[in-house]
Amino acid sequence: MSSQPSTGEATATLVAALDRTLEAVVAKGSARTNQGKDIDSHQPQAERIAYFATEVRTAKYLADYAKGEGASEPHIDDMALLFAAEMVSKAAGQLDAHADDLGIAPSFIDETLATPAVRAAVRAGMSDARVTAIGRHMLETKGVNNSPLEEMASMTRDTVRQFAASEVAPIAEHIHRHDDLVPDSLIAKMGELGFFGMAVPEAYGGGGMGNLVMIVTTEELSAVSLAAAGSLITRPEILTKALLKGGTDQQKAQWLPPIAAGKIMVGVSVTEPDTGSDVASLSCRAEPAERDGKKGWVVNGAKAWCTFAGRANVLALLARTDPNPKLGAKGLSMFIVPKDSFPGHAFEMKQPAGGTLNGKADATPGYRGMHSFTLMFDNYFVPGENLIGEQGGLGKGFYMQMAGFAAGRLQTGGRSTGLAQAALQRTCEYAIDRKQFGKPIGQYGLTQYKLGRMATHIAASRQLTYAAARAVDEDESISLEPAMAKLYSSDVAVWVTQEGQQLHGGWGYAEEFAISRYVVDATVLPIFEGVKPILELKVIARNLLG
Ligand SMILES: Cc1cc2nc3c(=O)[nH]c(=O)nc-3n(C[C@H](O)[C@H](O)[C@H](O)COP(=O)(O)OP(=O)(O)OC[C@H]3O[C@@H](n4cnc5c(N)ncnc54)[C@H](O)[C@@H]3O)c2cc1C
């Protein structure tokens, strides 16, 4: 008589099958793309492999968490099994459909993702009874996340959650609806509590608590408002990581303490009206100049989508310092550009000797509170000591920016998880209150099923992001894990907020209900800091297939 495998054993079977499959698929992809050198000739295939690899890692992290640190979390073993089962089921279909493109024999799936043991585990994992039970648990707990965490991160979560409820929640809706600016009083309080310096080394005035604590902070703030709180740490983080990578000791000592204290707000200016993903070909120029006897640079050109550029005290600017277009990324350098802080949706900054910087915010449906500006630099003077790395940093801006982007992507993993978490909680509350056909909609099996899947994907997105944060603590130079965290979590945020909106019915479309804000906020997450195809092709696929 054969006994049924336990939930944990079934999960392990699926994760092992995913792992074996990924290994074979990556080997095929690597050979087909000439060890990643010809990714562009095989883009759809490379994209598929990158996404599959991200899903496999996510399934592994969730499974590890379920049997380790998270073992006491109710239904986490069900979620780990469900998630792995969904990933196997999806991959089996995808790989079968694309077997010719991938160069795998159709029998490959029979031997990996469709063995009798794997298929049985998939059926067990995706059973309606299991998924609806997760959903019912979400309704009982209103979806609140109390996942076990190491002590410092757990204490931080409690503190930030309280802070967000008392300081951010009362203003979040108003800021969104009126497209207001985050108030200085909020920034000052966050600064006092050390929110901006959590991952900044203690030697530079930060808390030195590492990336996990910082990500938990961003997650909790984003659960209350993505733009009016949750994204405030992202820009200082990007500049901090760029400075730590390429700044001189003098520059780190000068800039990091006020950044950590929240005294200096930062805008990050990379994108241009005609140049987005192809960062290496940006054209905004910085040329050597002297003004009032001081050596420095004058900046000329347009920039686009610079979030918080009005309120910011400095812009981390990526500009071309070598006009030779053949140099591409090697002709770019990064500057800390001082400016005055302006409220509102437009500004003009005039320098006494004639340089100007104009900014005008582009109206957006969501992500309101910080405003994203199109900028025009006209002979704008930047002191020589503000070139990051000084003379040694010439031509190295692209690489500093990439270090900054890795930090930004990790941040977006936290931002996405927090936003999706908020959508789950609001939807649970709504499903308990809203009655149709004589009973609360939460009592319908389909509602429970949907909530069960939403909660599972959020748990997966959270563990992927936390794993990425821990990996960055180990090695600041990595790019793969933050890119995966951003890629997957932002998709979860988009899907979960929209699923939550549907469960709100017509009221999900009303501004009066926060879910409508979450939906418009979430759709920006897969776009910035590397739009999805760029993360998939240029970061993840390159890392895996190269
Ligand atoms: C609200 C908001 C805030 C932002 N904040 C900032 C900020 O603070 N600072 C900043 O510098 N930028 C910011 N951005 C800009 C953002 O980073 C860019 O929009 C993003 O990098 C994509 O660039 P793009 O819009 O020019 O799109 P493009 O580069 O034009 O890409 C558009 C599409 O083309 C396709 N594509 C492009 N290249 C390839 C390729 N090689 N292979 C296959 N397909 C390809 C993809 O499908 C891609 O989605 C912000 C954007 C928004 C919307």
Side-chain angles (χ1 to χ4, degrees):
M1 208 174 76
S2 70
S3 62
Q4 292 289 321
S6 69
T7 307
E9 285 165 347
T11 309
T13 299
L14 295 176
V15 169
L18 284 168
D19 244 347
R20 276 200 307 278
T21 309
L22 178 64
E23 203 179 314
V25 166
V26 166
K28 287 281 182 198
S30 184
R32 191 154 277 215
T33 61
N34 186 18
Q35 276 70 48
K37 291 184 204 80
D38 297 337
I39 284 176
D40 275 347
S41 308
H42 304 272
Q43 283 196 346
Q45 189 181 132
E47 187 270 349
R48 215 170 281 131
I49 296 172
Y51 209 89
F52 177 47
T54 304
E55 291 173 331
V56 173
R57 288 244 181 147
T58 311
K60 276 172 79 168
Y61 290 135
L62 186 60
D64 288 348
Y65 168 76
K67 67 175 185 230
E69 186 185 25
S72 62
E73 188 179 334
H75 288 286
I76 193 67
D77 52 345
D78 292 321
M79 293 195 206
L81 177 55
L82 166 61
F83 189 79
E86 282 195 10
M87 294 309 114
V88 169
S89 170
K90 180 179 164 196
Q94 281 266 316
L95 296 184
D96 194 37
H98 297 289
D100 296 344
D101 292 321
L102 289 162
I104 55 173
S107 60
F108 171 75
I109 294 147
D110 297 333
E111 292 150 15
T112 51
L113 298 180
T115 65
V118 170
R119 289 171 65 197
V122 168
R123 285 195 296 273
M126 293 177 72
S127 83
D128 291 347
R130 188 182 304 276
V131 187
T132 52
I134 301 169
R136 279 194 299 280
H137 176 71
M138 290 303 135
L139 287 161
E140 281 156 20
T141 56
K142 297 198 175 153
V144 174
N145 164 44
N146 284 316
S147 56
L149 261 181
E150 53 214 56
E151 197 183 352
M152 179 56 79
S154 173
M155 278 164 47
T156 304
R157 182 172 64 190
D158 293 346
T159 309
V160 180
R161 194 173 285 181
Q162 261 181 2
F163 174 87
S166 62
E167 303 292 339
V168 185
I171 56 174
E173 205 58 44
H174 189 272
I175 289 176
H176 170 68
R177 287 208 217 167
H178 299 268
D179 201 8
D180 278 349
L181 192 63
V182 179
D184 280 348
S185 56
L186 178 68
I187 294 171
K189 282 177 198 159
M190 285 175 61
E192 277 163 27
L193 291 168
F195 287 3
F196 294 104
M198 280 170 163
V200 177
E202 283 176 285
Y204 297 112
M209 288 184 278
N211 290 285
L212 180 64
V213 170
M214 176 189 66
I215 282 305
V216 166
T217 304
T218 284
E219 183 185 340
E220 290 300 324
L221 292 171
S222 301
V224 177
S225 170
L226 179 74
S231 300
L232 284 173
I233 299 174
T234 307
R235 267 139 290 277
E237 251 305 296
I238 291 175
L239 179 53
T240 294
K241 292 292 194 300
L243 270 167
L244 288 173
K245 181 167 177 76
T248 63
D249 289 345
Q250 157 68 23
Q251 287 172 331
K252 290 179 208 166
Q254 178 185 351
W255 294 105
L256 290 178
I259 288 174
K263 303 275 184 226
I264 286 184
M265 285 293 113
V266 181
V268 173
S269 189
V270 178
T271 308
E272 298 181 353
D274 295 326
T275 308
S277 305
D278 187 11
V279 172
S281 68
L282 61 79
S283 61
C284 179
R285 285 281 282 126
E287 291 166 290
E290 199 169 310
R291 225 173 245 179
D292 300 331
K294 200 167 167 35
K295 282 195 176 0
W297 301 81
V298 284
V299 180
N300 280 291
K303 287 283 177 183
W305 291 113
C306 185
T307 302
F308 222 28
R311 167 63 181 82
N313 310 94
V314 297
L315 303 180
L317 173 80
L318 194 62
R320 185 162 295 286
T321 41
D322 192 315
N324 180 359
K326 286 198 185 125
L327 278 178
K330 294 197 175 96
L332 304 179
S333 304
M334 199 171 177
F335 296 87
I336 299 179
V337 179
K339 61 175 278 298
D340 294 344
S341 179
F342 297 94
H345 294 79
F347 67 88
E348 183 175 48
M349 166 92 197
K350 285 191 174 179
Q351 295 182 314
T356 57
L357 169 59
N358 281 283
K360 189 172 180 312
D362 290 279
T364 55
Y367 197 51
R368 294 170 175 171
M370 305 181 79
H371 313 150
S372 299
F373 289 76
T374 296
L375 301 175
M376 179 54 78
F377 290 90
D378 183 5
N379 284 319
Y380 195 83
F381 183 76
V382 182
E385 64 269 21
N386 288 29
L387 165 63
I388 302 186
E390 301 222 23
Q391 283 306 305
L394 258 186
K396 303 215 175 87
F398 182 85
Y399 309 99
M400 297 175 202
Q401 188 62 55
M402 291 306 128
F405 271 155
R409 288 167 190 159
L410 180 59
Q411 276 279 309
T412 302
R415 293 194 277 178
S416 303
T417 306
L419 184 54
Q421 175 64 35
L424 174 68
Q425 288 180 217
R426 293 302 83 73
T427 306
C428 286
E429 290 158 11
Y430 188 81
I432 292 165
D433 285 349
R434 177 72 173 174
K435 289 197 182 71
Q436 285 297 290
F437 301 98
K439 61 181 185 179
I441 60 170
Q443 286 184 18
Y444 292 108
L446 189 53
T447 305
Q448 295 167 3
Y449 182 86
K450 284 175 181 290
L451 291 172
R453 289 195 67 231
M454 287 159 72
T456 299
H457 284 250
I458 295 169
S461 142
R462 178 174 290 119
Q463 292 314 315
L464 174 66
T465 302
Y466 289 179
R470 291 181 180 116
V472 175
D473 277 339
E474 292 290 309
D475 179 359
E476 290 271 351
S477 70
I478 58 169
S479 58
L480 180 64
E481 286 79 1
M484 284 181 160
K486 197 240 169 200
L487 175 69
Y488 190 71
S489 304
S490 59
D491 272 359
V492 170
V494 171
W495 174 69
V496 165
T497 52
Q498 292 184 0
E499 197 75 342
Q501 184 176 49
Q502 290 298 313
L503 280 164
H504 278 70
W507 294 112
Y509 205 62
E511 285 207 333
E512 190 187 333
F513 284 79
I515 193 78
S516 67
R517 166 165 59 97
Y518 302 158
V519 169
V520 288
D521 278 355
T523 46
V524 77
L525 294 164
I527 295 175
F528 49 36
E529 291 149 4
V531 71
K532 274 178 70 179
I534 298 303
L535 289 185
E536 292 164 331
L537 300 175
K538 309 245 176 249
V539 186
I540 301 173
R542 261 191 204 165
N543 256 283
L544 296 172
L545 305 180

